[in-house]
C-alpha cells in the first residue's frame, strides 16, 4: 500500500469511509456473484484496531491472534468471535518506533518457526531517519520484552516512503525481508536495479546458523552469496530484486511459492511470483510496460508480473494469500489480492501461467493487509475503520 500518490487521495477517502461505516455498522462489503460466491463478514465484531497493518497467529497455536498496529503496538486476543478484550503483546514503550506521517512505523512481525521452544519474535519497523530495523525479541510473560531487542538488520532509507516492511519465514526456514526502493518517486537513485544496495529487493537471511561475529548467516544459494558485502559483487542478502515497494506478500502453504504485490508508480500495480535470483524490472519496467525510458526500454532479463491492473481499477496493490482453506472450495489454489484505494479484491489462478484475474468483490475498505489463519481461511484488515473482516462463502 501507500503509493507515492496515495496520500492526497487518502485524506479525501478516509473521512468518507469512516462516515459510511459508522452510519450503518455493516461490513462495508459488496457480495459478488460469478463463479465464486463469496462475501466478507465482520470478524471479532467487538474489536477495532488503530491502523492495523498485519494479523497473524503463532506457529502451532490456533487459539490466539496478533494484530500489528502501525503506531507501534501489537494486540493479542482470543480466537473467539465474541472476543471483547485485547492484551498488549507489544507496546512501543521505548519510543524507538517512528510512525512518522505516512509509510513509517511498525510494519511487520514474524514468529520464529520454533516460537513454542524459543519464545522468539521478529519485528520490522522504522526509526527516525528513517532507518529500517528488523530486530529479534524475546516474549516474557505473554508479551514482547522491549529490553530484549537485538537488531538483526539495519538499512538506511533515503526517503520516508517505500519502506516495504513485511517479514516472514519461508518454508526453507530462512527469514525473508521485503524492502522498497528507498522512496521519493520514480526511484531517483535507481536502487531497484542496483544489486549493490539492499533497497528495492527481497532479502533472505539465516537467523539460525549465524557465523561468529555476524548478525545473521547467508543462505548458500542466495544469488550473491559469495560476495563479501554490498560493495563487492552484490548484496549477499538479496534473494530477488527490481521491486518498487513490496508491501505485502506470502508463501503458498502447499507449494511454497512466494506471491507478492508490488505497488506501482503512476500506472501499473503488479502481482509477482518471486523466485530466487530473478529481476522484477523496476524502474526500467512498471508492470509489463516500459517506465524508464517510457518507450523502447530494455526487456531482456526482466520477469513480468503474473497479473497487473491500471488506475481505473485501483492505485496501490496489497498482496494476499493463495487460498488453501476449506470454506470456499472453488477458490482452492487461487491467489487473493486487493487494492488499498479501490477496495477491490481479485483471485488469480496460480496453476496456469496466463490466467486472467477474476474480480471477486468491490468493497469500500482500505485494504492494508490480508491475513491467513492456521486452517487457511482469509481475513481482510481495513486500515481506516480498524475492523477485521473474514472471507466467507455467500449464503
Ligand atoms: Ca515489476
Amino acid at each position: 500500500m501507500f503509493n507515492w500518490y496515495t496520500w492526497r487521495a487518502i485524506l479525501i477517502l478516509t473521512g468518507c469511509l469512516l462516515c459510511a461505516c459508522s452510519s450503518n455498522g455493516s461490513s462495508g462489503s459488496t457480495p459478488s456473484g460469478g463463479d465464486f460466491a463469496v462475501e466478507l463478514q465482520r470478524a471479532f465484531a467487538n474489536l477495532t484496531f488503530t491502523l492495523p497493518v498485519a494479523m497473524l497467529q503463532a506457529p502451532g497455536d490456533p487459539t490466539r491472534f496478533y494484530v500489528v498496529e502501525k503506531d507501534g503496538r501489537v494486540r493479542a486476543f482470543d480466537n473467539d468471535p465474541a472476543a471483547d478484550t485485547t492484551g498488549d503483546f507489544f507496546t512501543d514503550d521505548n519510543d524507538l518506533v517512528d510512525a512518522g506521517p505516512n509509510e513509517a512505523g511498525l510494519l511487520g512481525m514474524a514468529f520464529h518457526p520454533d516460537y513454542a521452544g524459543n519464545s522468539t519474535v521478529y519485528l520490522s519497523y522504522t526509526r527516525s531517519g528513517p532507518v529500517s530495523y528488523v530486530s529479534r525479541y524475546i516474549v516474557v510473560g505473554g508479551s514482547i520484552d522491549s529490553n530484549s531487542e537485538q537488531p538483526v538488520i539495519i538499512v538506511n532509507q533515503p526517503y520516508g516512503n517505500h519502506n516495504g516492511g513485511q517479514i516472514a519465514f519461508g518454508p526453507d526456514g530462512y527469514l525473508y525481508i521485503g524492502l522498497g526502493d528507498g522512496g521519493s518517486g520514480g526511484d531517483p537513485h535507481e536502487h531497484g536495479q542496483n544489486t549493490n544496495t539492499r533497497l528495492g529487493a527481497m532479502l533472505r537471511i539465516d537467523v539460525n546458523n549465524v557465523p561468529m561475529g555476524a548478525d545473521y548467516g547467508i543462505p548458500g544459494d542466495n544469488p550473491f552469496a559469495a560476495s563479501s558485502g554490498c560493495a563487492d559483487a552484490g548484496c549477499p542478502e538479496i534473494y530477488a530484486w527490481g521491486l518498487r515497494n513490496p508491501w505485502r506478500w506470502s508463501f503458498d502453504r502447499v507449494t511454497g511459492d512466494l506471491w507478492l504485490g508490488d505497488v506501482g508508480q503512476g500506472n501499473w500495480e503488479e502481482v509477482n511470483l518471486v523466485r530466487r535470483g530473478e529481476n522484477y524490472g523496476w524502474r526500467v519496467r512498471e508492470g509489463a510496460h516500459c517506465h524508464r525510458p517510457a518507450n523502447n526500454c530494455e526487456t531482456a532479463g526482466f520477469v513480468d508480473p503474473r497479473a497487473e491492473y491500471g488506475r481505473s481499477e485501483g492505485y496501490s496493490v496489497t498482496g494476499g494469500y493463495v487460498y488453501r482453506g476449506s470454506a470456499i472450495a472453488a477458490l482452492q489454489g487461487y491467489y487473493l489480492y486487493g487494492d488499498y484505494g479501490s477496495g477491490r479484491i481479485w483471485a488469480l489462478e496460480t496453476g496456469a501461467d496466463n490466467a486472467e484475474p477474476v474480480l471477486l468483490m468491490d468493497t469500500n475498505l482500505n485494504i492494508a493487509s490480508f491475513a491467513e489463519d492456521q486452517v487457511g481461511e482469509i481475513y481482510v484488515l481495513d486500515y481506516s475503520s480498524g475492523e477485521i473482516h473474514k472471507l466467507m462463502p455467500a449464503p
Side-chain angles (χ1 to χ4, degrees):
M1 79 174 177
F2 303 137
N3 187 287
W4 174 244
Y5 293 105
T6 300
W7 286 92
R8 277 174 301 182
I10 287 174
L11 293 175
I12 300 166
L13 284 171
T14 303
C16 296
L17 286 168
L18 288 172
C19 292
C21 290
S22 60
S23 62
N24 59 23
S26 75
S27 73
S29 64
T30 305
S32 172
D35 295 335
F36 306 99
V38 296
E39 65 178 17
L40 287 179
Q41 292 179 7
R42 178 85 189 271
F44 313 111
N46 297 318
L47 303 178
T48 57
F49 300 89
T50 304
L51 307 183
V53 293
M55 183 171 86
L56 57 166
Q57 295 189 301
D61 179 9
T63 68
R64 301 276 279 170
F65 277 100
Y66 302 82
V67 168
V68 177
E69 298 180 329
K70 191 179 90 83
D71 285 350
R73 292 170 301 273
V74 180
R75 302 288 191 202
F77 58 96
D78 288 337
N79 183 10
D80 173 355
D84 59 4
T85 56
T86 64
D88 278 333
F89 188 62
F90 177 75
T91 301
D92 176 28
D93 59 5
N94 57 14
D95 292 328
L96 288 176
V97 174
D98 174 25
N102 49 28
E103 302 180 21
L106 180 58
L107 303 175
M109 178 171 92
F111 288 93
H112 190 282
D114 186 31
Y115 174 71
N118 61 23
S119 300
T120 298
V121 168
Y122 296 80
L123 295 179
S124 167
Y125 69 96
T126 55
R127 293 190 189 186
S128 63
V131 184
S132 287
Y133 272 72
V134 174
S135 293
R136 177 173 58 247
Y137 298 81
I138 302 300
V139 173
V140 179
S143 62
I144 296 174
D145 176 8
S146 297
N147 294 321
S148 69
E149 179 174 13
Q150 191 75 41
V152 174
I153 195 164
I154 300 169
V155 179
N156 289 320
Q157 294 280 353
Y159 305 98
N161 56 337
H162 302 179
N163 298 314
Q166 183 167 359
I167 54 176
F169 283 87
D172 51 17
Y174 297 132
L175 181 61
Y176 289 68
I177 301 163
L179 287 178
D181 65 9
S184 185
D187 193 11
H189 303 298
E190 301 183 61
H191 291 137
Q193 290 302 310
N194 182 358
T195 54
N196 295 111
T197 171
R198 294 175 288 190
L199 296 170
M202 180 64 68
L203 311 182
R204 185 178 71 161
I205 61 175
D206 185 345
V207 297
N208 294 312
N209 302 287
V210 181
M212 190 80 78
D215 294 319
Y216 48 83
I218 298 296
D221 59 349
N222 271 13
F224 308 104
S227 172
S228 64
C230 283
D232 182 23
C235 297
E237 300 92 345
I238 289 177
Y239 177 78
W241 67 99
L243 299 170
R244 181 178 176 278
N245 193 20
W247 166 245
R248 287 292 175 257
W249 40 271
S250 66
F251 297 93
D252 182 337
R253 59 171 62 193
V254 169
T255 66
D257 287 341
L258 172 51
W259 289 89
L260 177 147
D262 195 16
V263 181
Q265 178 65 45
N267 296 306
W268 298 100
E269 303 302 310
E270 54 187 90
V271 169
N272 292 300
L273 174 55
V274 173
R275 293 194 164 121
R276 177 169 50 90
E278 290 191 335
N279 177 349
Y280 292 85
W282 177 249
R283 74 169 187 181
V284 179
R285 308 273 284 168
E286 183 185 9
H289 311 266
C290 290
H291 175 76
R292 197 76 170 248
N295 295 292
N296 301 314
C297 65
E298 191 70 44
T299 58
F302 300 134
V303 177
D304 280 344
R306 292 289 288 263
E308 64 173 12
Y309 61 88
R311 285 293 169 267
S312 63
E313 299 182 78
Y315 59 71
S316 187
V317 67
T318 297
Y321 291 82
V322 175
Y323 184 75
R324 297 296 182 184
S326 58
I328 311 162
L331 275 183
Q332 190 65 219
Y334 280 74
Y335 179 64
L336 305 175
Y337 60 99
D339 189 86
Y340 174 78
S342 72
R344 294 184 184 186
I345 298 174
W346 295 269
L348 177 70
E349 188 181 0
T350 55
D353 286 347
N354 299 309
E356 286 292 322
V358 176
L359 179 63
L360 273 189
M361 58 180 70
D362 190 350
T363 77
N364 64 7
L365 307 179
N366 280 136
I367 303 169
S369 186
F370 291 80
E372 181 188 42
D373 68 16
Q374 297 231 328
V375 293
E377 301 303 334
I378 299 297
Y379 301 77
V380 177
L381 279 58
D382 181 23
Y383 192 70
S384 298
S385 69
E387 296 175 353
I388 309 299
H389 299 259
K390 187 175 185 180
L391 191 67
M392 306 284 285

